[in-house]
């Protein structure tokens, strides 16, 4: 079945970086763009950016420009999201989510289970 | 960026009733690129409606979406206990994709 499985929870100190993985299975990895969305505790959903797994091109939300890097490994059907210069406000659940359209213009039809990132000194 | 405002913030209803959730955009959402998601506690969001009115795979016809341009509605008929959750609207017609702040549907 189609699924996205994310890496486990992380605890980081302020100023550090975190890299979250999202492994896709059950479909052709390079045929669907992947988004990253985060959700602070008790808060709403915030879009971070998108990656085209076929060629690796990315678009980031302006808020995260310069701090976020999205990459992919086609050999393992995995996308990664790295966030640097972490601060307490980055404490959140991070989700990968597949774009259903086959390009970058669709709703998010498959979601990972989420990865909790806690930033604390 | 397009700001989405959902109302009400919290909706208190009983099983069997109808829920009507609203999502208003600060500017027109192109080509009805509007989606609705359901999120239950401790779970990832799940897609309910895309293209403003198309149901995602496996979503029962008790869920319906309507609207265009700046005003969109999610209607849930004959509420079941499993429907009580948080609902988010999202526009995906322009970047950055944005979400509404959510409506809590509670018993």
């Amino acid at each position: 079945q189609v699924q996205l499985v994310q890496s486990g929870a992380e605890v980081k100190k302020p100023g550090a970086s975190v890299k979250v993985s999202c492994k896709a299975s059950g479909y052709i990895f390079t045929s669907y763009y992947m988004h990253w969305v985060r959700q602070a505790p008790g808060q709403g959903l915030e879009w971070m950016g998108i990656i085209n797994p076929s060629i690796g091109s990315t678009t980031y939300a302006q808020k995260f420009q310069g701090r976020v890097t999205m990459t992919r490994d086609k050999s393992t059907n995995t996308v990664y999201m790295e966030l640097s210069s972490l601060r307490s406000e980055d404490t959140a659940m991070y989700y990968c989510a597949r774009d259903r359209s086959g390009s970058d213009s669709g709703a998010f039809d498959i979601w990972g289970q989420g990865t909790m990132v806690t930033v604390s000194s | 960026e397009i700001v989405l405002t959902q109302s009400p913030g919290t909706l208190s209803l009983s099983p069997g009733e109808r829920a009507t959730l609203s999502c208003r955009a600060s500017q027109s959402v192109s080509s009805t690129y509007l989606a609705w998601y359901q999120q239950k506690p401790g779970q990832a969001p799940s897609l309910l409606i895309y293209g403003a009115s198309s149901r995602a795979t496996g979503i029962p016809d008790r869920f319906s979406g309507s609207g265009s341009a700046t005003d969109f509605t999610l209607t849930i008929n004959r509420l079941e206990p499993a429907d009580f959750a948080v609902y988010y609207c999202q526009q995906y017609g322009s970047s950055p994709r944005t979400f509404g702040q959510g409506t809590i549907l509670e018993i």
Side-chain angles (χ1 to χ4, degrees):
Chain A
Q1 72 281 24
V2 176
Q3 62 176 350
L4 303 173
V5 178
Q6 298 183 223
S7 49
E10 303 264 11
V11 179
K12 296 291 183 181
K13 293 192 183 302
S17 297
V18 68
K19 191 171 186 177
V20 179
S21 68
C22 170
K23 183 174 177 60
S25 62
Y27 71 95
I28 299 172
F29 175 68
T30 52
S31 294
Y32 294 86
Y33 288 51
M34 197 77 77
H35 300 266
W36 287 90
V37 176
R38 77 177 186 179
Q39 185 172 37
Q43 302 300 308
L45 301 166
E46 181 175 35
W47 182 77
M48 300 181 68
I50 183 174
I51 183 168
N52 176 348
S54 181
I55 62 174
S57 59
T58 55
T59 300
Y60 304 135
Q62 187 169 9
K63 174 177 180 176
F64 300 101
Q65 287 274 4
R67 282 210 305 145
V68 70
T69 303
M70 297 177 188
T71 56
R72 93 300 189 205
D73 182 341
K74 292 193 287 184
S75 69
T76 60
N77 290 353
T78 302
V79 295
Y80 300 90
M81 187 283 299
E82 184 171 22
L83 189 62
S84 62
S85 302
L86 290 169
R87 35 209 187 229
S88 59
E89 310 89 89
D90 295 317
T91 293
M93 185 72 79
Y94 288 76
Y95 295 103
C96 57
R98 191 182 78 163
D99 191 305
R100 66 177 299 278
S101 71
S103 65
D104 63 349
S105 58
F108 304 174
D109 65 343
I110 306 295
W111 293 66
Q113 83 278 17
T115 297
M116 186 66 205
V117 175
T118 302
V119 182
S120 174
S121 55
Chain B
E1 86 177 41
I2 297 178
V3 176
L4 300 178
T5 303
Q6 293 186 239
S7 60
T10 302
L11 184 58
S12 299
L13 293 170
S14 299
E17 293 189 303
R18 172 186 297 170
T20 302
L21 287 66
S22 174
C23 177
R24 181 158 291 176
S26 60
Q27 53 190 283
S28 183
V29 176
S30 61
S31 303
T32 62
Y33 284 167
L34 192 287
W36 291 91
Y37 299 86
Q38 177 191 69
Q39 187 176 31
K40 297 180 180 180
Q43 297 185 17
S46 60
L47 178 64
L48 294 173
I49 300 288
Y50 62 93
S53 61
S54 297
R55 279 184 296 276
T57 303
I59 302 303
D61 59 8
R62 297 186 299 104
F63 291 84
S64 63
S66 62
S68 63
T70 61
D71 286 286
F72 299 88
T73 300
L74 174 68
T75 301
I76 312 171
N77 291 312
R78 304 181 303 280
L79 282 168
E80 298 183 358
D83 299 336
F84 291 91
V86 181
Y87 292 84
Y88 294 95
C89 61
Q90 179 214 22
Q91 68 80 22
Y92 52 94
S94 66
S95 195
R97 279 68 159 172
T98 50
F99 294 87
Q101 82 280 16
T103 289
I104 300 170
L105 177 57
E106 65 176 22
I107 299 178

